[in-house]
Amino acid sequence: MTETLWCDVLMVGAGIAGATVALELANAGASVVVAERGAVCSGSSGLNAGGLRQQFTQRTSILAGKATIARMAGFEAEFGIDPAFRQAGYLFLHNGGRHGATLRKAVAVQNEQGVDTRLIGNQELAELVPGINTEDLEGAAYGPHDGYMDPNSMVSGFAAGARRAGVKILQDTPVTAVETLGGRVSGARTGGPAVACDVLLNAAGTWAPGIARMYGAELPITARRNQMFVLDRTPKPGGFMPLTIDLTLGIYLHSEGEGVVSGYAEAPEIKDPPAAIALDWDELPALVERLWHRVPLFEAASVTHGWAGLIETTPDDNPVVGWTHLQNVYTVAGFSGHGMCLAPGLAPSIAAEVRGQAPALALDIYRLERFEGGEVEPEGVWGGEAISRGTREVPA
């Protein structure tokens, strides 16, 4: 006879969203089972650039990023794992125009929420990134308390904390079917035990639409390839440069060991996302050309290795958070490359809402229903059309 597990909440996915929300639910007394198709952090969460920032355009996202970064100070003491958080800052380079206007507005909103960000000129920018070519730039938005960490260590820490709180994480256990009764999910079949639950929480990231289709619904989430290359040179030897996003060229980079990791803003759509995706080396020459332009020392650099992953995007580059479709299905997915920044800070509010309590942060901007009227406000800082089309300024 097949084993059946009973729980208050069945979580699908053990990435950053699943691990953080499971931990909050368990700490509040809920029984939680997490079904993960691979290993903890084996999906998109472990294959990104690891940026943590507060530089968003909308209040809730700013506050979520602020809460995430605040938690880094005590992370190792709480979970026993060093997340390798480098609080080296975050830069958004611009040449005026629409990007400059967006950043000016965003910094004003960030400052209203108590976040120390500011606009800087090319002189200060050149001090932060030695050797940078600023001829076609007007400056940058700078968040000195932002930075980057090791995604695998961060997710592993939250998952370890969740296990200690009583969460049962089933690895190599894909959900194969969702069972419904009377407009509610009653449970799920998996590659291991069957699970009966009061709430199904879909935190499957890129694969969240596939889970939704198991109960006859759709999610406006698109899978896209995101890939990074590591170079053996850095503008800041022996130190950590800020995570730098060039809105003019549509590239980003930050320190990685004795070199840097870099990639594109553009992320092509991937139909029917597989469990893993190969690196496309054909994209490298154009990336290198842009890097040479921005930081000429990279002309002497070699690419040592790279990796590719999948990110899930929504039409406005904000996640879907809330009750969706059936009475007891809650979705936390579609972070559009911002999951590491947002999910830990949102997790306490999400867990409160799942338990029928009022969330501390206003989650209304993330509701699925926002797409019905066609009037959505995109995330303007590295968002909107940025992930699908890139932020690069193309001359008319």
Side-chain angles (χ1 to χ4, degrees):
M1 181 179 295
T2 302
E3 177 189 8
T4 299
L5 299 177
W6 297 83
C7 60
D8 296 322
V9 180
L10 169 60
M11 181 88 61
V12 184
I16 188 63
T20 53
V21 176
L23 172 62
E24 296 293 337
L25 286 168
N27 282 339
S31 60
V32 182
V33 172
V34 179
E36 165 57 48
R37 60 186 285 169
V40 169
C41 201
S42 60
S44 301
S45 292
L47 297 168
N48 62 79
L52 293 183
R53 62 179 166 99
Q54 305 158 91
Q55 294 186 73
F56 293 94
T57 56
Q58 297 171 68
R59 180 178 180 274
T60 300
S61 296
I62 293 166
L63 292 175
K66 184 178 179 181
T68 297
I69 288 177
R71 194 159 192 180
M72 290 299 98
F75 191 93
E76 186 172 6
E78 183 177 1
F79 300 115
I81 295 176
D82 179 6
F85 181 44
R86 313 303 184 192
Q87 204 161 16
Y90 230 98
L91 289 165
F92 285 88
L93 314 184
H94 71 90
N95 63 354
R98 65 186 179 94
H99 290 312
T102 296
L103 292 172
R104 283 192 295 274
K105 178 181 177 182
V107 166
V109 179
Q110 293 153 17
N111 294 166
E112 289 173 0
Q113 305 309 317
V115 175
D116 178 20
T117 54
R118 65 182 188 273
L119 296 172
I120 65 172
N122 285 343
Q123 181 175 345
E124 186 174 357
L125 175 57
E127 295 171 359
L128 292 167
V129 185
I132 188 171
N133 171 21
T134 62
E135 291 181 355
D136 56 346
L137 297 175
E138 289 194 5
Y142 178 43
H145 301 296
D146 298 341
Y148 41 94
M149 48 67 218
D150 174 47
N152 284 283
S153 296
M154 186 167 166
V155 178
S156 295
F158 281 120
R163 287 190 179 101
R164 287 195 294 270
V167 175
K168 188 176 184 63
I169 300 179
L170 305 176
Q171 300 186 90
D172 299 314
T173 307
V175 170
T176 57
V178 173
E179 298 173 338
T180 62
L181 181 65
R184 296 174 59 86
V185 167
S186 57
R189 294 194 297 273
T190 77
V195 184
C197 61
D198 291 330
V199 172
L200 175 72
L201 201 153
N202 185 355
T206 301
W207 302 275
I211 299 299
R213 285 191 287 272
M214 291 183 185
Y215 59 82
E218 296 291 335
L219 288 170
I221 293 174
T222 300
R224 297 186 180 278
R225 186 182 69 238
N226 180 45
Q227 53 187 33
M228 283 142 278
F229 299 90
V230 179
L231 287 77
D232 64 359
R233 296 287 188 278
T234 175
K236 210 162 187 177
F240 299 101
M241 65 174 289
L243 196 155
T244 302
I245 294 179
D246 189 331
L247 298 176
T248 302
L249 297 180
I251 59 174
Y252 61 88
L253 66 156
H254 71 66
S255 299
E256 179 81 5
E258 296 300 317
V260 299
V261 62
S262 182
Y264 282 111
E266 298 98 322
E269 181 176 350
I270 302 296
K271 299 289 187 182
D272 300 319
I277 190 166
L279 190 67
D280 183 0
W281 288 93
D282 290 340
E283 289 189 1
L284 181 59
L287 173 63
V288 168
E289 181 182 351
R290 299 185 200 183
L291 284 168
W292 286 359
H293 172 79
R294 184 57 64 221
V295 185
L297 75 82
F298 287 130
E299 291 188 29
S302 296
V303 175
T304 61
H305 63 285
W307 64 88
L310 294 167
I311 58 175
E312 77 272 24
T313 63
T314 66
D316 62 357
D317 281 352
N318 278 318
V320 174
V321 176
W323 299 104
T324 51
H325 309 112
L326 302 182
Q327 297 173 29
N328 62 336
V329 173
Y330 197 100
T331 297
V332 184
F335 280 94
S336 304
H338 308 136
M340 304 304 294
C341 306
L342 298 180
L346 292 174
S349 292
I350 292 168
E353 193 163 68
V354 170
R355 292 182 289 111
Q357 300 177 1
L361 295 180
L363 302 176
D364 293 350
I365 64 168
Y366 304 138
R367 303 306 192 198
L368 177 61
E369 292 76 17
R370 71 188 186 269
F371 298 113
E372 294 177 358
E375 297 179 0
V376 296
E377 181 181 354
E379 172 47 53
V381 180
W382 190 253
E385 82 278 13
I387 291 176
S388 59
R389 301 178 189 173
T391 59
R392 188 180 189 188
E393 295 280 9
V394 179

